[in-house]
Amino acid sequence: MKLFDKNSKSLEFDKVLAQLAEFTSCDDARETALAIKPETDINLAKALLDQTSEAHRLLARFSAPSFGGLKNVNNSLARASAGSVLNTRELLDIGEVLRVIRSLSQWRAGNEGVESSLDTLFSALMPNKFLETAIFNAILSEEEIADNASPALADIRRSIRKQESNVREKLDKLTHSSTFSKYLQENIVTQRNGRYVVPVKSEHRAEIPGLVHDTSSSGATVFIEPMAVVEANNEIKVLKSKEREEIDRILYELSASCGDFAQGIKDSYACAVELNLIFAKAQYAYNLKASPAVLNDKGIISLRNARHPLIDPRKVVPIDISLGKDFDTLVITGPNTGGKTVSIKTVGLLTMMSMCGLMIPAGDRSEISVFDEILADIGDEQSIEQSLSTFSAHMKNITEIMNVADDRSLVLIDELGAGTDPVEGAALATAILEQLSAQGAKIAATTHYAELKAYALATPGVENGCCEFDIKTLRPTYRLLIGVPGKSNALAISEKLGLNPDVISRAGELISSENKEFEGVVDRLEETRKKMEDEYENVKALSEKAAADKENAEKLKKEIADIREKEMEKAKGQALRITEQAKREAYALLQEVEKLKKEMADTKDASELARRARAAVKKGIGAIDAAADPITEQAEDDGYVLPRHVVAGDQVIIRDLGKSAQVITPADKKGNVEVLAGSLKTRVKESNLRLVENAKPAQKPKTSAKVQGDSRLNMAPETRLDLRGMTVDDCLIELDRFIDHSLRTGLNEFTIVHGKGTGALRTAVTRYLKSSPYVKSSRLGVYGEGEDGVTIVILK
């Protein structure tokens, strides 16, 4: 970009980069952030934006990695590679960089399972835990080396402490001795020049033999090293010298190790700085509540709810603005301080941000084009030194812009043609727009000239825009309206501010008729726009209400379906329990009959056995009826009382079901009446019936089924397959068809009647049932079911 520095400053892009730099953690990343320039290649711009989006996604899922402690140690590493010995501060800085590199690598390793385009940078990090540990184990601080930095250093320091203890012990005895304590200024042990001494009164210096190392400023005290500890102090001096030599050796070894790994550390540091910048972009996006733009290289810009990143988020008004799709030139008009300049600055600034890989404060799926040049003439650049007026300064900028602009350029001009005669200025502005459009540039310009509004209305590829102004409050709303020419509203504003009405009236007379007609058209357009906007808001509210009602209806429908499903499951469970109870009662009855049959063979009192059999059968059938058709006591819900007891043939209504039925058997001792409701025979309480007085008794239905013993033990026709009289092949075909029909109708159990005869049918049926994958079990009938002449089948 030839004019990048100048244009970026007029768009205040440097302030955006300064905000971005605040989210970096090291000086190099900060400097890189401040030096960012837009990428004109769409693939590179997309790659940068993808990196920011990936970091944004990782931040949302795993929080931010730590870059604290990252520092440029390349100079120290270069010196170490050359054989120099680094000081403790330099080594600690290298250790801190190694710690950051390791923590970054561990952070990414802890987020496995999530692929990212940043993995290339993370995988380039080379942690060196060995060197990091060696540095921090040896160096405690900038001034202190650890005792365990080496075994030799630990031995030396142990010897030093021992010698110092011996010296102090001897001097303590001397200071507390009755012989020498009277010669001392104070009963203490101190140091001078690294040697232990005692403070002696100057006049008694001869009383304590030793070496004088210092005197007080007043001369009243001399610091003497008694002869008794001279050798011990000499030994300490020697040990201190060995300690310094050992420390130098340790620092040399650590420096040599840093030199050996210097290139790897430098490369890892460069990757860490790049990652720091990428995550700073992501954190800046969170701060702006930004989203990634959809990039293109076709000159199309479509921003939804775009916000200027440098305006307080609580005050900024989002705008919708487009350029390059239906029109290539946008002419924005309206009163001063209405938001015209902010609008074109927002377009330029968000375009630069996207080209730098930054997410923008705009709605999802906003589109931004990549340009080779973003050219701007914004602000007052008059210069006394260069003898340039405001108009001249603008023309100088526009001349530079026109020399550079092409079909890969975005041109932003504020107050086009201002600062000179209005007639000439409007003509010049129109010509400039025509020339820039002919050069293929995408243009957004602001103006006050009515001639440019008319030009935009009459010229294909040029569109009007305006910043809305509320006449009632004399305040701009800062909303940008595309397709509507703006008004300066000078007369209306002046009238609201109290200017003499005669002056305003005279000013209105001086306005040309053409301008009045044009302003009238603009007024009508504005009224129509507001009316349509109000209608749109009403339709939108109705649509939202309809959507909410639909959602509530769907929710209610789902709840009803869930309740119905639960009730069905509950009913199926109850039916299954009733069926199982009826089966148990039936099997118990059959066992009782078998027992009586055996007793009949052993006794001659047939009449007694017959009576007992009838009693057992009646009791068993009663239990089966109770299990299969339980009676539920219903609460009285009205004052209805039967006018008489019901008799067989009466037409009644079952009150709790609301269903018509016919009485088959009158009430028994317990008040239970057997009725026929449609094809269903059931028992209900007599008190649960309503008598239909005028209905004619229906004829008792005749049963077409054969009666074998008690009719309540007969199988329904659809649960019974009679194969008697068929050949084996025919019976197997019929049996296969019946099993298929039973599976489709949900029948789980049925009876096959094959007769006793020669047993050929029974054998064929048994063999077929054992090989069928749909049969759970089968057995021959027992007494009362048909014995060996029938087979009971249970399906899966």
Side-chain angles (χ1 to χ4, degrees):
M1 285 191 171
K2 300 176 182 178
L3 304 176
F4 169 74
D5 292 334
K6 181 178 180 180
N7 293 317
S8 65
K9 185 176 181 181
S10 63
L11 292 172
E12 299 180 290
F13 184 61
D14 55 326
K15 294 181 180 179
V16 170
L17 296 183
Q19 288 185 345
L20 171 63
E22 295 299 319
F23 292 92
T24 58
S25 300
C26 69
D27 292 339
D28 283 359
R30 178 181 178 83
E31 291 175 6
T32 305
L34 293 174
I36 288 178
K37 291 188 177 181
E39 285 291 347
T40 58
D41 184 278
I42 188 171
N43 294 320
L44 292 177
K46 282 184 176 180
L48 291 175
L49 191 56
D50 287 344
Q51 287 181 338
T52 306
S53 299
E54 282 296 310
H56 191 268
R57 183 171 64 92
L58 292 174
L59 282 181
R61 294 193 61 177
F62 307 111
S63 74
S66 174
F67 293 91
L70 200 59
K71 190 174 183 180
N72 191 332
V73 291
N74 289 347
N75 287 337
S76 299
L77 291 170
R79 289 176 51 238
S81 298
S84 298
V85 178
L86 306 181
N87 59 40
T88 54
R89 180 68 271 161
E90 291 174 311
L91 289 169
L92 286 173
D93 289 342
I94 292 173
E96 191 64 24
V97 169
L98 291 172
R99 183 194 63 77
V100 174
I101 292 170
R102 179 173 55 84
S103 69
L104 289 174
S105 183
Q106 289 177 343
W107 181 85
R108 186 65 188 103
N111 305 331
E112 289 182 353
V114 180
E115 294 184 0
S116 170
S117 59
L118 300 179
D119 286 343
T120 303
L121 289 172
F122 278 107
S123 61
L125 297 173
M126 293 179 284
N128 193 330
K129 186 70 164 63
F130 168 77
L131 181 56
E132 176 194 346
T133 303
I135 291 173
F136 287 122
N137 282 348
I139 306 174
L140 299 180
S141 68
E142 195 171 345
E143 295 82 19
E144 185 179 4
I145 303 295
D147 290 352
N148 59 356
S150 74
L153 183 61
D155 291 340
I156 291 170
R157 287 184 172 175
R158 193 180 304 111
S159 299
I160 290 173
R161 286 192 293 271
K162 183 178 178 181
Q163 288 296 334
E164 287 177 342
S165 177
N166 291 335
V167 170
R168 292 187 67 86
E169 185 178 348
K170 290 179 179 180
L171 293 179
D172 281 341
K173 288 181 180 179
L174 185 144
T175 57
H176 292 90
S177 167
S178 58
T179 304
F180 297 104
S181 61
K182 57 187 177 182
Y183 304 130
L184 302 179
Q185 198 71 261
E186 292 181 82
N187 293 334
I188 61 171
V189 177
T190 185
Q191 280 189 330
R192 288 292 185 275
N193 301 319
R195 301 178 75 89
Y196 287 96
V197 296
V198 291
V200 181
K201 295 175 182 178
S202 181
E203 61 271 21
H204 299 295
R205 58 187 300 180
E207 302 298 331
I208 298 179
L211 304 176
V212 177
H213 287 278
D214 198 6
T215 60
S216 65
S217 58
S218 63
T221 304
V222 292
F223 296 94
I224 296 177
E225 177 186 3
M227 294 301 297
V229 296
V230 169
E231 286 299 322
N233 271 332
N234 288 340
E235 182 63 24
I236 292 173
K237 274 285 190 182
V238 172
L239 291 173
K240 289 284 187 181
S241 177
K242 290 182 178 180
E243 179 187 28
R244 284 192 297 272
E245 291 175 0
E246 181 61 19
I247 289 173
D248 289 342
R249 187 192 65 79
I250 292 169
L251 295 179
Y252 174 80
E253 287 187 357
L254 291 175
S255 300
S257 296
C258 290
D260 292 340
F261 296 107
Q263 192 57 50
I265 298 173
K266 289 179 182 179
D267 294 341
S268 296
Y269 171 76
C271 291
V273 169
E274 189 171 352
L275 285 169
N276 186 204
L277 178 60
I278 293 170
F279 278 93
K281 291 179 180 179
Q283 288 176 316
Y284 184 45
Y286 266 110
N287 188 62
L288 290 179
K289 296 181 180 178
S291 59
V294 179
L295 296 181
N296 66 80
D297 57 358
K298 300 177 181 178
I300 297 174
I301 295 175
S302 178
L303 298 174
R304 298 184 301 104
N305 293 323
R307 308 180 303 279
H308 195 290
L310 300 178
I311 300 178
D312 187 341
R314 294 168 295 184
K315 298 179 181 179
V316 67
V317 177
I319 62 170
D320 293 347
I321 189 167
S322 59
L323 184 65
K325 189 173 184 181
D326 299 323
F327 50 89
D328 295 331
T329 302
L330 178 63
V331 178
I332 304 175
T333 52
N336 289 327
T337 71
K340 303 189 301 298
T341 304
V342 170
S343 297
I344 63 173
K345 275 189 173 183
T346 301
V347 172
L349 203 51
L350 299 195
T351 301
M352 278 191 173
M353 290 175 66
S354 294
M355 291 169 65
C356 293
L358 291 168
M359 297 166 71
I360 60 173
D364 289 338
R365 310 302 297 171
S366 290
E367 294 184 68
I368 291 285
S369 177
V370 173
F371 295 97
D372 288 345
E373 296 287 348
I374 299 176
L375 306 168
D377 175 44
I378 298 174
D380 185 358
E381 296 189 18
Q382 72 174 2
S383 171
I384 296 175
E385 293 179 0
Q386 298 181 22
S387 300
L388 292 176
S389 66
T390 300
F391 176 76
S392 300
H394 281 305
M395 285 302 103
K396 184 175 181 296
N397 289 339
I398 290 173
T399 301
E400 292 178 352
I401 288 172
M402 295 181 72
N403 289 335
V404 175
D406 58 17
D407 60 347
R408 294 274 299 163
S409 300
L410 172 65
V411 178
L412 308 170
I413 304 177
D414 189 28
E415 299 295 351
L416 178 60
T420 188
D421 177 75
V423 175
E424 291 184 354
L428 185 60
T430 303
I432 289 170
L433 290 180
E434 288 179 343
Q435 179 60 35
L436 288 173
S437 180
Q439 291 176 216
K442 304 299 181 290
I443 312 158
T446 69
T447 184
H448 285 287
Y449 292 134
E451 290 85 350
L452 288 183
K453 303 175 192 177
Y455 167 74
L457 287 172
T459 307
V462 183
E463 187 62 87
N464 270 304
C466 73
C467 289
E468 192 177 50
F469 190 87
D470 191 339
I471 297 296
K472 295 180 180 179
T473 62
L474 294 182
R475 291 180 179 275
T477 64
Y478 301 107
R479 291 179 58 204
L480 180 65
L481 307 175
I482 303 295
V484 180
K487 294 177 61 180
S488 65
N489 296 303
L491 298 184
I493 293 172
S494 299
E495 183 179 6
K496 285 285 184 178
L497 293 175
L499 186 65
N500 190 323
D502 294 336
V503 175
I504 294 173
S505 177
R506 177 59 180 159
E509 293 173 0
L510 294 174
I511 297 175
S512 67
S513 59
E514 290 84 359
N515 281 340
K516 287 182 179 178
E517 290 177 3
F518 182 79
E519 293 296 332
V521 172
V522 171
D523 287 340
R524 289 192 293 275
L525 283 173
E526 179 66 10
E527 290 175 4
T528 303
R529 182 194 65 78
K530 288 184 176 179
K531 183 178 179 181
M532 292 181 66
E533 192 173 74
D534 292 340
E535 291 178 355
Y536 170 76
E537 291 297 330
N538 291 334
V539 171
K540 183 179 178 182
L542 291 173
S543 176
E544 290 176 353
K545 185 177 183 301
D549 291 342
K550 180 181 178 182
E551 184 179 352
N552 292 333
E554 292 291 341
K555 184 178 179 182
L556 182 61
K557 180 180 178 182
K558 185 177 183 302
E559 290 176 355
I560 292 173
D562 292 342
I563 293 172
R564 182 174 63 209
E565 186 176 349
K566 290 179 182 178
E567 291 299 324
M568 287 292 292
E569 290 297 327
K570 183 178 178 182
K572 287 179 181 179
Q574 291 177 344
L576 181 61
R577 289 193 294 273
I578 291 172
T579 303
E580 292 298 327
Q581 179 65 21
K583 285 180 180 179
R584 287 194 293 271
E585 297 293 344
Y587 287 140
L589 173 61
L590 293 175
Q591 289 175 358
E592 185 66 23
V593 171
E594 287 292 333
K595 181 180 178 183
L596 292 174
K597 182 178 177 181
K598 291 179 181 178
E599 290 183 5
M600 186 180 292
D602 299 333
T603 181
K604 297 179 180 179
D605 192 355
S607 60
E608 176 62 21
L609 285 175
R611 184 190 64 77
R612 289 171 57 192
R614 285 193 297 273
V617 169
K618 184 176 181 181
K619 179 181 178 183
I621 291 174
I624 293 173
D625 286 340
D629 188 18
I631 299 297
T632 303
E633 190 70 31
Q634 299 291 331
E636 295 288 344
D637 61 349
D638 56 27
Y640 179 81
V641 178
L642 283 170
R644 59 176 174 81
H645 290 291
V646 297
V647 297
D650 279 344
Q651 292 294 317
V652 294
I653 295 176
I654 304 174
R655 186 182 59 196
D656 55 356
L657 298 178
K659 189 171 183 179
S660 299
Q662 179 187 351
V663 176
I664 297 176
T665 305
D668 57 16
K669 294 179 180 179
K670 295 182 179 180
N672 295 330
V673 178
E674 188 173 16
V675 298
L676 181 67
S679 60
L680 176 67
K681 187 186 292 184
T682 185
R683 294 178 303 120
V684 297
K685 288 289 185 181
E686 188 177 31
S687 58
N688 192 31
L689 299 175
R690 293 177 181 269
L691 183 63
V692 182
E693 292 287 353
N694 298 327
K696 294 182 180 180
Q699 294 295 322
K700 188 173 182 179
K702 296 182 180 179
T703 179
S704 61
K706 288 184 179 181
V707 177
Q708 296 181 359
D710 196 307
S711 62
R712 285 168 293 187
L713 294 177
N714 289 341
M715 297 286 183
E718 65 270 15
T719 64
R720 185 183 183 91
L721 175 62
D722 194 342
L723 302 177
R724 289 175 293 182
M726 297 184 184
T727 64
V728 171
D729 292 338
D730 290 341
C731 88
L732 293 181
I733 293 173
E734 187 65 22
L735 176 57
D736 184 71
R737 183 199 64 77
F738 192 82
I739 289 176
D740 180 65
H741 174 74
S742 300
L743 290 171
R744 285 188 284 107
T745 56
L747 182 65
N748 293 328
E749 184 175 344
F750 63 89
T751 301
I752 302 173
V753 180
H754 43 64
K756 297 180 181 179
T758 61
L761 284 180
R762 181 176 69 246
T763 302
V765 167
T766 301
R767 187 182 302 113
Y768 179 84
L769 293 175
K770 286 182 179 180
S771 63
S772 175
Y774 306 111
V775 176
K776 182 178 181 181
S777 63
S778 62
R779 62 176 176 82
L780 293 175
V782 296
Y783 179 76
E785 292 179 323
E787 302 184 22
D788 293 345
V790 299
T791 295
I792 311 301
V793 181
I794 299 177
L795 299 176
K796 292 182 180 177

